């Protein structure tokens, strides 16, 4: 760690360049793995026999695991202290499990088994990733937090560039990017092996090179004591809205059954009912465990967090649509291919990796430019500008057919991605109690994964009903969602300390 601990001021010591590097380096491996997933999972599913309009449902593993895992990991990491510290045990466990999933995913010949490995991969990445946001808050003073998130965003971009380009690079080295039907191309399999190694090594670097502040040191830094919390001493709020959520979920399930709607909607209806049942259960029993604390803190979110939630909802609908459908859109529209075993399809799928690498490279550069703009116009307005750049990029994917010109929309997408990874967290961490960074950032993830769950359950039916066989129109939906997110950001009222990043 780059800061000296000899003195114990009320303010946390500022990190030097090496300290910020070490705190954030694990994100390189995490995002390399995410990039491999985003650019290649639809390709893997299609290679194993999935129809295009079934892709969204097969991606449901991500939002479901994030919805469950991230708040629980946040809750427990706030309360953990051991030989490896507070957050680092979760980094390490998630990295090892994600590495195993990355090895297994491209080596299965069964679609359902591939979906199971995706589930394992997403759960493991969530275990490793969730504490990293809180980790930046733990290790930096308030006025250095924007810089810390900029470092994270840079490593996210750098890891994603490598992960997105990996299949094309292996193909350039002479490793085949085609395979018989039902077999994953060798270039994709080798890329996932690279991701497994990078995940373990990069996260291991952060685990070994950073010493977390002890509970006593954390208590000395903050008046509200960021040391692990004694749950039995914390007052809880038990919401009364549980029956309403159960009723909404039950009505949705009944409508789906009565009208014969897409069966994927059962997932959404059941999820709403389960959420309500959890609220009813913790209230009826006056529980004080992890679920009770999550429900209580959800009910007590700061006002800025509630305002950000609406923008997050629209943002992540847009990005999730693009991640799912860019491969079928580009392969069909720019390469004229729908046969997943053809050379043209796999050339197009490799090009999607190049496009994703390009937008992540733009994001890495933009990470250090956005705080400059934020000092002039504020964090919320800066994020709104970034989201509008993303909307323009998504429209470009709808309209452009030349492969090289498809890099142009990636500029807007990259700016938006850099903003998504930093600006909301700069706003959020300045209004959260520091002792609850983990659980609140886990709860904030609800507004990332719930929209993804909505896409996973609804988008297949929307495609079949409104544009069957024409996946490019999903990009218009994504663009409209990003424009709505930009509008929602204009409603965010930042804390008076947050007028600049």
């Amino acid at each position: 760690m780059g800061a000296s601990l000899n003195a114990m001021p009320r303010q946390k010591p500022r990190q030097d360049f090496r300290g910020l590097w070490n705190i954030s380096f694990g994100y390189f491996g995490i995002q390399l793995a995410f990039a491999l997933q985003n650019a290649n999972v639809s390709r893997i599913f299609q290679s194993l026999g999935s129809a295009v309009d079934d892709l969204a449902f097969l991606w449901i593993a991500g939002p479901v695991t994030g919805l469950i895992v991230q708040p629980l990991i946040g809750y427990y990491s706030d309360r953990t202290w051991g030989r490896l510290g507070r957050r680092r045990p979760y980094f390490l466990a998630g990295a090892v499990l994600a590495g195993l999933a990355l090895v297994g995913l491209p080596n299965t010949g069964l679609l359902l088994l591939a979906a199971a490995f995706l589930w394992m991969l997403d759960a493991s990445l969530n275990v490793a990733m969730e504490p990293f946001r809180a980790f930046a808050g733990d290790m930096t003073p308030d006025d250095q937090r924007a810089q810390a998130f900029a470092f994270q965003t840079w490593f996210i971009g750098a890891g994603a560039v490598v992960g997105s380009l990996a299949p094309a690079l292996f193909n350039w080295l002479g490793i085949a990017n085609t395979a018989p039907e039902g077999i994953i191309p060798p270039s994709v399999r080798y890329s996932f092996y690279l991701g497994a190694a990078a995940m373990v090594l990069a996260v291991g670097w952060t685990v070994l090179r950073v010493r977390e502040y002890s509970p006593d040191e954390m208590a000395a830094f903050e008046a509200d004591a960021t040391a692990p919390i004694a749950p039995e001493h914390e007052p809880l709020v038990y919401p009364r809205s549980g029956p309403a959520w159960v009723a909404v979920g039950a009505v949705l399930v009944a409508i789906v059954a009565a009208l014969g709607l897409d069966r994927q909607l059962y997932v959404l209806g059941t999820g709403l009912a389960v959420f309500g049942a959890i609220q009813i259960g913790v209230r009826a029993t006056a529980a004080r465990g992890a679920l009770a604390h999550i429900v209580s803190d959800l009910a007590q979110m700061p006002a800025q967090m509630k305002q950000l939630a609406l923008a997050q909802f629209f943002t992540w609908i847009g990005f999730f649509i693009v991640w799912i459908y860019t491969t079928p859109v580009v392969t069909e529209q720019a390469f004229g291919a729908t046969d997943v075993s053809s050379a043209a399809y796999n050339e197009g799928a490799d090009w999607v990796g190049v496009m994703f690498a390009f937008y992540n490279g733009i994001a890495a550069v933009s990470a250090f430019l956005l705080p400059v703009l934020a000092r002039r116009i504020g964090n919320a307005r800066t994020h709104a500008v970034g989201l509008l750049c993303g909307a323009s990029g998504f429209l470009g994917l709808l309209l452009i057919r030349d492969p090289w010109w498809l890099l142009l929309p990636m500029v807007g997408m990259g700016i938006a991605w850099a903003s998504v990874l930093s600006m909301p967290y700069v706003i959020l961490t300045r209004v959260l109690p520091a002792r609850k960074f983990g659980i609140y950032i886990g709860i904030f993830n609800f507004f990332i994964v719930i929209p993804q769950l909505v896409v996973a359950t609804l988008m297949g039916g929307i495609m079949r009903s409104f544009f069957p066989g024409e996946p490019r129109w999903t990009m218009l939906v994504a663009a409209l969602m990003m424009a709505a997110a930009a509008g929602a950001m204009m409603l965010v009222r930042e804390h008076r300390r947050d007028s600049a990043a």
Side-chain angles (χ1 to χ4, degrees):
M1 197 176 68
S4 171
L5 297 178
N6 293 331
M8 296 299 299
R10 297 290 295 179
Q11 179 75 6
K12 294 174 188 173
R14 291 180 65 82
Q15 297 285 340
D16 59 17
F17 180 88
R18 183 179 62 179
L20 291 170
W21 177 285
N22 291 339
I23 288 167
S24 301
F25 187 66
Y27 247 122
F28 176 82
I30 293 172
Q31 196 58 36
L32 196 156
F34 261 120
L36 286 169
Q37 171 185 301
N38 291 339
N40 293 284
V41 164
S42 287
R43 177 183 189 174
I44 290 172
F45 286 162
Q46 284 188 283
S47 296
L48 296 176
S50 171
V52 170
D53 53 10
D54 289 331
L55 287 175
F57 188 70
L58 289 170
W59 275 75
I60 203 170
V64 170
T65 52
L67 191 66
I68 297 168
V69 171
Q70 289 222 17
L72 289 174
I73 294 300
Y75 170 85
Y76 285 112
S77 72
D78 280 342
R79 292 158 172 77
T80 293
W81 185 260
R83 293 181 62 185
L84 281 178
R86 187 184 194 188
R87 315 288 183 189
R88 290 178 294 163
Y90 299 94
F91 300 163
L92 189 59
V96 172
L97 292 173
L100 294 173
L102 285 163
V103 171
L105 182 56
N107 284 300
T108 176
L110 299 174
L111 183 60
L112 288 179
L113 189 55
F117 270 119
L118 176 60
W119 202 295
M120 176 180 173
L121 176 61
D122 253 299
S124 304
L125 289 173
N126 277 295
V127 170
M129 180 181 66
E130 196 284 335
F132 260 100
R133 294 291 186 192
F135 193 51
D138 293 344
M139 302 304 299
T140 57
D142 185 76
D143 62 356
Q144 199 182 23
R145 205 149 295 145
Q147 189 180 8
F149 286 127
F151 263 78
Q152 284 193 353
T153 302
W154 190 90
F155 278 116
I156 288 170
V161 167
V162 176
S164 299
L165 282 177
L169 290 174
F170 278 118
N171 182 238
W172 181 74
L173 292 173
I175 296 172
N177 71 341
T178 59
E181 186 174 354
I183 303 296
I184 308 305
S187 62
V188 175
R189 286 190 283 110
Y190 282 31
S191 297
F192 274 65
Y193 302 156
L194 172 66
M199 181 80 188
V200 173
L201 292 175
V203 172
W205 177 275
T206 291
V207 169
L208 295 174
R209 300 293 293 180
V210 179
R211 185 180 78 80
E212 294 184 70
Y213 294 121
S214 70
D216 289 342
E217 289 170 325
M218 295 294 279
F221 291 142
E222 300 282 350
D224 70 345
T226 60
I229 305 161
E232 64 273 13
H233 299 310
E234 185 175 348
L236 299 181
V237 172
Y238 298 103
R240 300 176 181 272
S241 58
W245 286 108
V246 172
V248 170
V251 168
L252 179 57
V253 169
I255 291 173
V256 173
L259 300 181
L261 301 179
D262 197 309
R263 288 178 297 175
Q264 295 173 8
L265 289 170
Y266 283 123
V267 176
L268 187 59
T270 302
L272 295 174
V274 168
F275 176 64
I278 290 172
Q279 290 193 13
I280 293 171
V282 298
R283 182 175 178 83
T285 61
R288 301 197 60 84
L291 285 177
H293 280 81
I294 292 168
V295 168
S296 175
D297 288 332
L298 179 63
Q300 301 178 79
M301 291 188 300
Q304 290 88 345
M305 187 170 174
K306 295 176 183 178
Q307 293 161 1
L308 285 167
L310 182 61
Q312 290 288 91
F313 181 81
F314 291 122
T315 297
W316 285 93
I317 286 180
F319 264 106
F320 203 54
I321 287 172
V322 169
W323 289 338
I324 293 172
Y325 292 107
T326 297
T327 295
V329 168
V330 170
T331 52
E332 180 178 336
Q333 189 163 287
F335 289 81
T338 55
D339 179 1
V340 297
S341 62
S342 68
Y345 175 90
N346 284 282
E347 182 183 356
D350 282 350
W351 188 248
V352 171
V354 173
M355 291 165 57
F356 280 21
F358 188 74
Y359 93 69
N360 279 287
I362 295 294
V365 174
S366 301
F368 294 101
L369 300 178
L370 290 173
V372 177
L373 180 61
R375 282 193 288 270
R376 292 181 175 272
I377 66 173
N379 298 307
R381 291 182 179 179
T382 296
H383 191 40
V385 170
L387 294 172
L388 288 175
C389 290
S392 65
F394 296 168
L395 278 177
L397 291 173
L398 168 66
L399 300 172
I400 296 173
R401 287 171 168 74
D402 180 87
W404 283 100
W405 279 105
L406 280 170
L407 294 177
L408 182 61
M410 296 297 99
V411 175
M413 190 168 168
I415 295 170
W417 187 230
S419 189
V420 166
L421 294 173
S422 56
M423 289 296 108
Y425 296 96
V426 174
I427 297 170
L428 187 63
T429 55
R430 290 184 175 182
V431 299
L432 294 179
R435 64 190 175 88
K436 289 191 171 186
F437 276 170
I439 191 168
Y440 266 122
I441 290 176
I443 290 172
F444 194 54
N445 191 60
F446 286 171
F447 311 114
I448 295 174
V449 300
I450 289 173
Q452 294 180 29
L453 185 59
V454 170
V455 172
T457 54
L458 293 180
M459 206 62 203
I462 290 172
M463 279 194 66
R464 284 188 287 270
S465 299
F466 295 101
F467 31 86
E470 295 186 88
R472 67 192 185 98
W473 292 107
T474 59
M475 299 299 136
L476 177 60
V477 178
L480 292 173
M481 292 298 101
M482 292 295 278
M489 279 307 300
M490 301 308 295
L491 303 176
V492 175
R493 297 293 177 260
E494 299 184 60
H495 189 281
R496 60 183 178 85
R497 292 187 302 160
D498 296 351
S499 58

